[in-house]
């Protein structure tokens, strides 16, 4: 995985792919499937919706860091499996045959098999709305990977795979931050 | 446009499509293009990232309501156009030939040409993070419409169109709220 410019990290989240969020609670790695995510700024800041109902939340609150990993369509069954069992009872890395890789800044692991990974620090937890505000501190992209299509959860058990790409760079020139 | 069960409204946002957000400031309609959105709950609650840099923000803060409209791929040039001019200087409904339709609850207009619309009330503005928390109060879907593919902004001026749909309803049965 090659390092990706931090200024481009928001482009991994903006299109709304299902992501995996990894944590390390001081003893063990864990991960959860999240599709409730949002970009907050180009710096880059992100928000995710999570709370006590996710076992990972305790580690997120305690260690104040995580990794957002971006899986692709060939990993959909793993992604759904990870989202429907609990780290309380399962070593998800072992069960779903995914490889934890040490990042540069945080202890939570990158996922080797994913298209991209963003190391994140927790900036704030807005408890009232179950919003966790994250700051990306390092990002990586496996650009040699052939399958690059991400998946988008509809929320009813169906998923939409990335289709065609359309280019509106010229029309949007005034709105795109420099260096993107 | 037929009314859509409110319990399904989150499925319009979860996959991360670019949306149009309409407002009415007491005098005139306006709309903006937003791709920084997130589901917060099934009730349904949503978050969007916006602030002073959007002309619509003043109306959103003053009237505390809006409509989230979901455009499709055939509307991409309008969507980009709406996102790259300001309501301060432009009547965007006239300029982009879109039809405002009165909803049932809020004064901000539905957009007739869109695939779906969600009437929303502003629940809270988390100024520190530029997060606006919205509650959907009525939702509509134009199910007779042929083009149903939404678009997802990458953030660099390119867009991803909805591709294939994959069904994992059985695997996800334990995680899907009833009535979805």
């Amino acid at each position: 995985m090659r390092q990706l410019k931090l200024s481009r990290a928001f482009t991994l989240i903006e299109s709304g792919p299902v992501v995996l969020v990894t944590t390390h609670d001081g003893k063990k790695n864990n991960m959860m499937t999240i599709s409730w995510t949002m970009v907050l700024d180009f710096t880059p800041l992100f928000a995710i919706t999570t709370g006590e109902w996710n076992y990972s939340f305790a580690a997120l609150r305690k260690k104040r860091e995580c990794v957002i990993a971006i899986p692709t369509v060939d990993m959909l069954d793993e992604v759904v499996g990870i989202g429907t069992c609990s780290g309380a009872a399962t070593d998800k890395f072992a069960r779903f045959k995914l490889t934890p890789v040490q990042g540069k800044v945080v202890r939570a692991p990158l996922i080797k098999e994913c298209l991209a990974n963003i190391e994140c620090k927790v900036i704030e937890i807005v408890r009232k709305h179950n919003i966790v505000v994250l700051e990306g501190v390092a990002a990586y992209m496996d650009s040699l990977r052939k399958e690059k299509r991400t998946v988008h959860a509809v929320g009813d058990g169906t998923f939409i795979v990335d289709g065609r790409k359309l280019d509106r760079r010229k029309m949007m020139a005034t709105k795109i931050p420099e260096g993107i």
Side-chain angles (χ1 to χ4, degrees), chain A:
Chain A
M1 262 182 298
R2 276 199 341 205
Q3 201 132 4
L4 177 76
K5 278 195 298 184
L6 257 182
S7 60
R8 277 196 65 89
F10 80 95
T11 64
L12 301 172
I13 302 296
E14 178 153 334
S15 74
V18 178
V19 304
L20 299 172
V21 176
T22 80
T23 48
H24 188 280
D25 64 4
K27 292 181 184 163
K28 61 185 196 303
N29 292 325
N30 191 21
M31 57 183 144
M32 62 179 165
T33 301
I34 288 273
S35 61
W36 295 359
T37 69
M38 176 166 76
V39 176
L40 285 175
D41 192 21
F42 299 109
T43 43
L45 291 172
F46 308 107
I48 64 174
T49 302
T50 181
E52 308 284 0
W53 65 88
N54 283 130
Y55 179 73
S56 297
F57 184 67
L60 204 55
R61 194 171 42 184
K62 185 177 163 200
K63 295 297 178 178
R64 300 189 76 81
E65 51 179 50
C66 65
V67 167
I68 300 178
I70 316 289
T72 46
V73 60
D74 50 320
M75 298 171 70
L76 182 58
D77 288 333
E78 286 84 350
V79 167
V80 173
I82 290 160
T84 50
C85 69
S86 171
T90 314
D91 174 347
K92 299 197 198 184
F93 277 91
R95 174 158 170 194
F96 296 102
K97 298 187 173 59
L98 295 173
T99 315
V101 175
Q102 183 58 54
K104 288 185 199 306
V105 186
V106 308
R107 179 78 192 273
L110 314 178
I111 302 175
K112 189 185 171 194
E113 290 77 8
C114 282
L115 171 65
N117 284 271
I118 311 170
E119 295 189 60
C120 295
K121 294 272 191 185
V122 173
I123 296 297
E124 191 175 344
I125 300 179
V126 185
R127 292 301 293 264
K128 186 176 170 191
H129 299 294
N130 301 306
I131 295 170
V132 178
V133 178
L134 300 171
E135 180 178 10
V137 290
Y140 310 85
M141 171 76 94
D142 183 356
S143 26
L144 300 176
R145 209 172 188 292
K146 207 173 164 194
E147 182 59 82
K148 290 198 173 70
R149 291 173 302 160
T150 67
V151 276
H152 306 259
V154 174
D156 60 358
T158 64
F159 294 83
I160 299 164
V161 185
D162 285 354
R164 309 176 48 196
K165 266 202 149 189
L166 300 175
D167 189 336
R168 292 295 184 280
R169 281 193 190 95
K170 270 188 199 163
M171 275 181 82
M172 295 224 10
T174 58
K175 288 285 179 176
I176 301 170
E178 274 185 58
I180 302 301

